[in-house]
Amino acid sequence: MTSWFVVISLGLAAYAQQTPARDAPPPAGTSVIRGRVIAASGDRPLAKAEVHAIAGAMHVDKAVLTDANGRYEIGELPAGRYTIVASKPNYVRASYGQRRPLGPGTPIDVAAGQIATRIDFSMQRTGAIAGRIVDELGDPAAGVQVSAMRRMFVNGENRLVNGGPPQMTNDVGEYRLWGLMPGQYFVSATLRSAMGDSNDTIAYAPTLYPGTPNPIEAQRIAVAAGQTIGGINLTLLPVTPSRIAGVVVDSRGQPMSGAFVNVLHRSGASPMGGAGGTQVKPDGTFAIGGLAPGEYTLRASMMGNQDEVATADITIGGDVTNLQLVAAKLSTLRGRVVFDKSGAKPPAASALRVFISHPSATPMSSMDGNATPKDDGTFEVKIGAGLSLVRAGVFGTGDWRLARVLTADGADVIDAGLDVPVNGVVEGITVEMTSRHNELTGTVVDANGAKVRDCVVVVFAQDSRRWIANTRFYSVSRPDADNVFHMRLPAGDYLAAAFDDPDTTGPYNAPEILQQLRERALAFTIGETEKKSIEVPLGAPPVY
Amino acid sequence: MARTFACLVALLLAASISSAQPQQPPPQPSPFQTPPRDNAQAQPAGSATLRGHVVAAETGQALRKAQVRIFSPELRENRLATADGDGRYEFKEVKPGRYTVTASKGSYVALQYGQTRAFESGKPLEILANQTLDKVDFALPRGGIVTGRVLDEFGEPLPDTMVSMQRYQNVNGQRRLVPAGRPAMTNDIGEYRLFAIPPGQYYLSATLRPMGGMADTDDRSGYSPTYFPGTSNVAEAQRVTVGIGQTISDMNMALMPSRMARVTGTVVDSQGRPFTGAIMAFPKNEMFMMFGPPAQIKPDGSFVVNGLTQGDWVLQTTGPGAAQGDYASAEVTINGDDVNGLRLVGTPPLTVSGRLVVDPGAAQALRPSTVRIMIGPAQVGMPMIGFTGPTAVNDDLSFDAKARPGKMRLNLAGPLPGWAIRSVRVRGEEVIDSGFDVRAGESIADVEVELTNRLTDVSGIVTTPKGEAVKDYSVVVFPADREKWTPNSRYVKTARPDQDGRYKVTGLPPGEYRVIALDYVDSNEWNDPDFLERVRSKTSAFSINEGETKSVDLRITPASS
């Protein structure tokens, strides 16, 4: 369940920054948009493609499916400027008027009563990577989990992250990774057998094509639209496995009988589902065999009960048999959300959400939490101990944003975070919201002074001490249909860099990347309620 | 009926039994410093050895890298050994107990040790301390392979379709089609490959459940589960016979389009505020294998659930809920049309509190902190979404568990070696088998849960009328009282003989029983009331009291009678 929760929090941040999302049905209109969708190879009509007409300013997003002839009609639209997007499983999403695959499209203006015709699409199929996995004896390896991975920066670390759902090899060792958007991928293969105890003398580390456990030595595979790259075969690398054993106790010091211990990768290529696990026995002991050397996080909890969790970070380079995991009950944080008198009407408590995150913990070992305040603004949330960042947002309107997070002593910990003690209670937190905001707008110009629309604008703090995960002093945007980009930022000193990134590798907030962007960036300062306009020169994209 | 492949399976077992019986040291007090001890008995260190070979049944060739697992639910042991280049595997330092052993590899049919027919249970191995069990061998037959493509009504390949071989099984007292073996998913060109299929007769089924989908569209097209060669009606489907090691290709199918309905409505929590979380929909009476992502509930409490085919569905909330873990659910019957304006109101979880009751003599042997109580739906098979997890019992034997409104049952969460629930009393009534009603707004107090460690033990050997020992059979034990022949009944059990030809059934509640030994019992039929009725006239009777160990030797009942 962790994955969609994260999506909510990102979505909330988006809500708070943009113009208000709609909460009433859009006005009916008299404009019509028509067209046809065909498959690029063979000019065949594409039935059941989803076509959206989107007018962000008016909060309109209306969609239909193409018929058996690939034709569609979206009617009753209010007059305005629309972006039209077509999508279908196994085809690359297409935006009308785009100049390259997955690039931004060109919107069209439709007047009242007008029928816009021939808004057509030629869609390209997604790509695929296929091959065969064998073990070190040359036998086909069945049941191997294979993933297409992309290199991304997560919390400042260079990690390989899944670029699509993993597939299992069949009985003859074959796999096919399909539905891939054009881009560059690495292929990772893992045979997981570390469930329960084992005395096996061979285990397999996650192996990257062409046959290495090291992400730096892995070979990139470029996949174009509609292309299948076959013959991506690899041989699993055996390693000497290690066995870990220990005892798990709960917060009362009793054996945590029946809990499940999960072993999760902490770095490198991390296959989905972790490295292994086992159930804790009645006497509180557990043992897991077949683990490849590496850095892991152990996480023990009762099924269905996340109130008590035990975690430990371990490095395995041989057997480890004296582990002691002690579960801690979640700590409690209590506070109140207040709104300053900056003019706008405060929202209903049910539209508020307070989020607590742990920036320094690995994703699986942190116990983040969120809460909806009561009508009087008070809230209580249960979270794991450690350095915690408090954030808050409002659904449905961009008028309010987080201004300060005050402890009971009056210290503002909005960026520093606060230390939540183990099994403890933190009270008296004040979350201050304000409707005062600034407005940064700008354009990106190339060497000839022409405005550029196909680019990414990255704004980050001049002070490199603020280049940390979850920082507020960072924003990314793209120029809109009028070649203008918009942002709202906390007051401060910033640098702005713009570049074209066709592979959309992002995110860009790793210190090594910001260091590269700093050299050609434009420096500026913006106050709390200032309206500022800048012109950013187009630079070269960062090198990964 | 499935072809037996007993002729291809060679099972040789020569156990060398050592003389020592496991020592039973008296229970010790356990300060936290030393490793905590199990309930009632100290766990002896593992000292037995188990080894054997895994070969291919047809050729006798060693199956290197085959995976062998030993599993003992009572001891919570779960260990894996991988066969070497000669197909040899070994487990060392095995704790004494009763184990099932399973071998698997790639496209071969996975077998439990002692299994001679497809869909039959294996035979357990009784392992004693310091014992070496040799020649625990497996001959795995090649599994069948079925390949093909799945297309939509326009001839376009359909990816993400779940394809499986299905057979009828007895699930919770109902005959249902259930996937046998691991299902396959179609890829972007609509291809699938099913392998390691045990020989038998199946229905080939393809199901595409939409994952999410557009909220703001009028389109209602979807697909109903379809059976080869291309019908949504099982009665018209063609049975597919898979022989040992047989490959069947080009099993292509077009899915049957069907109209799907949308359900819209609102969810509020117990205080009337919009619910925070998401809504899941699952079929009320089917085994639901594929869950799409839940539909998010918007900040104003409204939701849209798409893609529901005809039938009975249950909508249930998941996620944090509002303040204290509220939960809401509703049943909806879809007959093709949309359902709008559904209103769900959350209820806070209710408390079911009470205490454990243990006989005074046994109380010292019980460590309350290892006992976990779980209150779940009385109808077994309902998904446990939205239900709170197990509750630990306090040192004074009291407990406070959470429950949802509905018909509930109280169980132990996880096996408690050596113990069983003897009685559950709510409002003075015995509800251990019937379950009890939890009503909205009403917490329940003073629940009494009686635990006993005086478990019954019934074992014996089976002989032919001439007195010869029978080493391969299945025993079914069931209560004389037909009222107790309920799905997942505590009173109905089946057992297979160990390597000495001895069967053992532990933990039967005291009472009057019938017992029969048969050559073969399908692993999904043994608790079917129709089957019990058919064999009742050929059974022997016995009765057993609490804590009693009884020997009940049987005559094998021939298949023809």
Side-chain angles (χ1 to χ4, degrees):
Chain A
M1 279 300 189
T2 316
S3 56
W4 61 257
F5 162 71
V6 169
V7 167
I8 289 184
S9 62
L10 291 179
L12 178 62
Y15 268 111
Q17 301 283 28
Q18 287 167 4
T19 49
R22 81 185 136 104
D23 41 24
T30 52
S31 310
V32 178
I33 298 179
R34 276 188 203 146
R36 196 159 173 258
V37 180
I38 59 169
S41 62
D43 277 349
R44 284 175 309 116
L46 268 188
K48 297 207 161 167
E50 209 176 289
V51 184
H52 285 252
I54 304 167
M58 296 187 295
H59 326 306
V60 174
D61 181 347
K62 198 152 184 239
V64 296
L65 290 184
T66 55
D67 64 16
N69 293 319
R71 295 191 191 281
Y72 73 91
E73 176 174 301
I74 309 178
E76 293 181 347
L77 290 168
R81 169 173 286 189
Y82 286 89
T83 305
I84 322 290
V85 177
S87 65
K88 186 175 159 75
N90 290 327
Y91 286 86
V92 182
R93 192 177 56 85
S95 198
Y96 183 75
Q98 70 189 20
R99 280 172 275 204
R100 73 161 92 91
L102 293 178
T106 307
I108 59 172
D109 290 306
V110 191
Q114 183 190 353
I115 302 178
T117 56
R118 296 215 144 141
I119 308 300
D120 299 336
F121 295 85
S122 173
M123 295 187 75
Q124 304 217 287
R125 288 193 75 95
T126 48
I129 299 174
R132 208 163 157 261
I133 314 279
V134 296
D135 65 20
E136 77 281 13
L137 302 170
D139 289 339
V144 176
Q145 185 177 292
V146 187
S147 304
M149 312 201 81
R150 307 196 70 153
R151 185 164 278 156
M152 286 191 77
F153 280 96
V154 179
N155 283 348
E157 262 182 50
N158 188 354
R159 288 179 70 112
L160 288 184
V161 178
N162 280 308
Q167 301 286 341
M168 298 274 271
T169 55
N170 60 19
D171 54 318
V172 291
E174 292 167 344
Y175 72 89
R176 184 183 172 88
L177 297 166
W178 48 274
L180 300 176
M181 294 298 157
Q184 308 217 329
Y185 297 89
F186 301 88
V187 173
S188 149
T190 313
L191 180 57
R192 292 193 303 136
S193 56
M195 297 304 282
D197 201 357
S198 113
N199 297 100
D200 275 354
T201 50
I202 286 192
Y204 298 100
T207 309
L208 292 160
Y209 180 77
T212 168
N214 191 345
I216 309 294
E217 295 165 18
Q219 189 176 314
R220 255 193 278 237
I221 301 164
V223 178
Q227 189 183 17
T228 296
I229 314 276
I232 304 298
N233 307 327
L234 59 82
T235 303
L236 292 177
L237 285 180
V239 293
T240 306
S242 303
R243 184 170 172 272
I244 62 171
V247 68
V248 185
V249 294
D250 63 20
S251 59
R252 293 182 298 172
Q254 304 295 336
M256 212 162 164
S257 152
F260 198 86
V261 181
N262 247 314
V263 185
L264 305 154
H265 287 96
R266 246 193 304 145
S267 59
S270 51
M272 275 173 72
T278 192
Q279 220 183 7
V280 176
K281 301 209 190 76
D283 61 359
T285 59
F286 72 94
I288 302 171
L291 287 167
E295 292 176 340
Y296 298 90
T297 299
L298 299 182
R299 196 165 181 279
S301 63
M302 302 294 293
M303 303 286 256
N305 180 357
Q306 297 296 306
D307 274 354
E308 282 204 35
V309 181
T311 62
D313 288 343
I314 61 172
T315 301
I316 296 181
D319 289 353
V320 183
T321 52
N322 56 354
L323 292 165
Q324 293 219 344
L325 276 78
V326 181
K329 283 187 99 68
L330 292 180
S331 304
T332 308
L333 191 142
R334 294 196 192 108
R336 196 158 168 259
V337 180
V338 298
F339 296 87
D340 69 8
K341 309 271 184 293
S342 49
K345 182 168 168 289
S350 57
L352 283 172
R353 196 82 80 248
V354 178
F355 294 92
I356 319 287
S357 66
H358 295 76
S360 48
T362 50
M364 283 309 204
S365 68
S366 67
M367 289 302 296
D368 298 342
N370 68 84
T372 304
K374 300 212 209 62
D375 289 333
D376 62 0
T378 56
F379 66 88
E380 178 180 295
V381 62
K382 295 235 188 281
I383 49 171
L387 182 68
S388 308
L389 284 183
V390 180
R391 293 281 177 268
V394 181
F395 278 117
T397 167
D399 292 347
W400 292 95
R401 64 176 179 90
L402 182 65
R404 295 199 299 172
V405 176
L406 302 174
T407 61
D409 303 331
D412 186 356
V413 294
I414 184 173
D415 293 315
L418 50 95
D419 229 320
V420 175
V422 177
N423 291 338
V425 180
V426 177
E427 307 215 64
I429 302 296
T430 307
V431 174
E432 265 186 28
M433 308 290 288
T434 181
S435 61
R436 285 194 301 269
H437 61 80
N438 52 30
E439 191 92 39
L440 178 74
T441 57
T443 54
V444 178
V445 291
D446 62 16
N448 302 322
K451 290 192 188 151
V452 180
R453 201 157 73 84
D454 286 342
C455 63
V456 148
V457 181
V458 177
V459 172
F460 54 103
Q462 288 179 16
D463 184 351
S464 59
R465 287 172 305 176
R466 287 180 161 163
W467 297 357
I468 52 175
N470 290 47
T471 179
R472 292 183 304 137
F473 302 92
Y474 170 86
S475 188
V476 177
S477 186
R478 286 177 178 271
D480 63 13
D482 296 320
N483 302 325
V484 177
F485 68 87
H486 303 261
M487 276 182 196
R488 290 180 183 178
L489 298 161
D493 304 318
Y494 291 94
L495 295 162
F499 51 89
D500 190 10
D501 189 1
D503 279 341
T504 52
T505 318
Y508 311 102
N509 57 348
E512 307 92 276
I513 302 296
L514 297 180
Q515 193 68 15
Q516 294 180 39
L517 295 178
R518 162 181 250 170
E519 287 163 35
R520 277 172 313 267
L522 174 79
F524 69 95
T525 303
I526 187 165
E528 205 192 5
T529 54
E530 193 180 338
K531 290 205 193 326
K532 195 172 191 101
S533 191
I534 57 175
E535 197 178 79
V536 185
L538 183 74
V543 174
Y544 290 88
Chain B
M1 202 53 202
R3 242 177 79 189
T4 67
F5 47 87
C7 52
L8 296 172
V9 175
L11 294 175
L12 302 166
L13 176 63
S16 45
I17 302 175
S18 85
S19 55
Q21 289 293 315
Q23 295 293 330
Q24 303 285 359
Q28 296 173 7
S30 48
F32 173 54
Q33 255 50 23
T34 58
R37 296 275 179 203
D38 189 8
N39 281 327
Q41 302 163 317
Q43 288 215 334
S47 53
T49 303
L50 186 149
R51 51 177 177 243
H53 277 85
V54 184
V55 300
E58 290 95 338
T59 61
Q61 191 189 1
L63 285 183
R64 55 191 183 188
K65 301 289 177 89
Q67 296 200 320
V68 183
R69 273 194 192 278
I70 60 172
F71 182 61
S72 166
E74 296 95 28
L75 298 174
R76 278 201 218 138
E77 284 283 312
N78 175 359
R79 285 173 59 176
L80 165 74
T82 306
D84 64 14
D86 297 318
R88 192 183 301 129
Y89 74 90
E90 184 177 59
F91 291 91
K92 294 208 261 236
E93 289 166 26
V94 180
K95 298 203 178 90
R98 216 161 167 86
Y99 291 85
T100 56
V101 190
T102 313
S104 63
K105 179 175 166 74
S107 56
Y108 293 85
V109 179
L111 285 186
Q112 273 190 21
Y113 182 73
Q115 181 180 0
T116 51
R117 277 168 271 230
F119 308 113
E120 181 188 54
S121 292
K123 298 199 287 195
L125 281 180
E126 180 80 44
I127 300 181
L128 306 171
N130 299 321
Q131 189 180 11
T132 298
L133 282 180
D134 217 335
K135 301 211 170 152
V136 184
D137 297 335
F138 294 84
L140 302 184
R142 284 208 80 98
I145 295 175
V146 173
T147 65
R149 290 177 80 208
V150 180
L151 309 174
D152 67 12
E153 70 273 35
F154 300 111
E156 282 274 311
L158 268 180
D160 277 328
T161 306
M162 187 174 81
V163 183
S164 60
M165 305 297 280
Q166 303 204 341
R167 57 189 286 268
Y168 276 106
Q169 286 187 19
N170 179 16
V171 181
N172 294 332
Q174 285 182 300
R175 248 172 94 74
R176 288 207 211 129
L177 274 181
V178 172
R182 194 194 299 165
M185 299 290 285
T186 56
N187 59 18
D188 53 335
I189 28 189
E191 289 174 343
Y192 69 88
R193 182 183 175 94
L194 292 161
F195 58 89
I197 304 171
Q201 286 204 320
Y202 303 91
Y203 295 96
L204 178 64
S205 134
T207 308
L208 172 64
R209 297 246 187 232
M211 307 296 246
M214 303 183 287
D216 194 9
T217 175
D218 294 324
D219 182 69
R220 293 286 181 279
S221 55
Y223 299 97
S224 29
T226 307
Y227 301 94
F228 186 82
T231 168
S232 44
N233 184 355
V234 185
E236 295 166 19
Q238 189 180 311
R239 264 200 289 228
V240 179
T241 304
V242 179
I244 299 177
Q246 186 185 3
T247 300
I248 309 178
S249 343
D250 290 322
M251 297 291 282
N252 305 326
M253 289 208 295
L255 285 199
M256 298 289 295
S258 87
R259 191 179 190 284
M260 298 193 301
R262 167 201 289 183
V263 175
T264 64
T266 54
V267 192
V268 293
D269 65 21
S270 54
Q271 287 156 16
R273 303 191 316 168
F275 198 96
T276 327
I279 287 230
M280 290 208 67
F282 54 89
K284 185 172 170 196
N285 294 317
E286 244 178 70
M287 300 210 46
F288 195 29
M289 303 280 300
M290 277 172 58
F291 287 98
Q296 293 300 321
I297 302 173
K298 299 206 187 75
D300 63 357
S302 64
F303 68 87
V304 175
V305 174
N306 279 317
L308 301 186
T309 51
Q310 294 205 3
D312 297 321
W313 291 80
V314 176
L315 296 180
Q316 201 166 322
T317 55
T318 83
Q324 312 90 11
D326 281 12
Y327 147 93
S329 87
E331 289 185 15
V332 175
T333 300
I334 302 286
N335 54 15
D337 295 322
D338 292 349
V339 175
N340 293 314
L342 206 61
R343 189 173 156 79
L344 281 81
V345 179
T347 52
L350 302 156
T351 312
V352 174
S353 59
R355 59 195 184 95
L356 292 187
V357 175
V358 183
D359 295 334
Q364 286 155 349
L366 182 66
R367 294 177 50 87
S369 58
T370 60
V371 183
R372 282 178 159 81
I373 299 280
M374 177 93 134
I375 303 200
Q379 181 188 338
V380 183
M382 290 282 284
M384 295 292 288
I385 314 157
F387 282 86
T388 48
T391 309
V393 168
N394 303 318
D395 287 333
D396 63 357
L397 299 184
S398 66
F399 63 84
D400 265 288
K402 297 252 190 276
R404 310 290 181 196
K407 191 139 182 104
M408 298 287 140
R409 241 194 226 162
L410 188 150
N411 287 309
L412 291 177
L416 193 62
W419 291 85
I421 296 184
R422 178 166 65 199
S423 156
V424 179
R425 286 187 294 278
V426 170
R427 304 181 195 110
E429 269 186 47
E430 178 65 70
V431 297
I432 183 175
D433 294 314
S434 59
F436 54 99
D437 286 312
V438 176
R439 295 182 205 112
E442 276 181 32
S443 285
I444 301 179
D446 297 324
V447 173
E448 291 192 321
V449 179
E450 267 188 44
L451 290 189
T452 177
N453 63 348
R454 297 177 59 222
L455 301 183
T456 62
D457 187 303
V458 179
S459 66
I461 55 169
V462 174
T463 53
T464 64
K466 293 199 191 119
E468 291 154 346
V470 182
K471 290 302 191 94
D472 200 354
Y473 57 85
S474 289
V475 157
V476 181
V477 179
F478 55 96
D481 180 1
R482 279 185 182 81
E483 303 263 306
K484 298 195 161 105
W485 298 359
T486 51
N488 286 54
S489 166
R490 294 182 304 143
Y491 305 89
V492 182
K493 295 213 195 277
T494 184
R496 299 260 285 139
D498 62 19
Q499 69 272 30
D500 299 320
R502 195 165 191 83
Y503 77 89
K504 180 143 83 151
V505 176
T506 50
L508 275 177
E512 310 266 328
Y513 288 92
R514 301 287 188 158
V515 59
I516 185 170
L518 293 164
D519 176 50
Y520 170 73
V521 174
D522 186 305
S523 60
N524 287 293
E525 225 196 354
W526 58 271
N527 55 356
D528 185 343
D530 289 338
F531 167 77
L532 300 180
E533 193 60 60
R534 272 206 310 275
V535 300
R536 194 197 167 91
S537 58
K538 303 169 211 154
T539 55
S540 317
F542 71 94
S543 65
I544 191 151
N545 301 316
E546 168 153 281
E548 193 181 342
T549 297
K550 197 155 199 159
S551 187
V552 181
D553 293 336
L554 301 166
R555 285 256 184 276
I556 186 87
T557 302
S560 55
S561 70

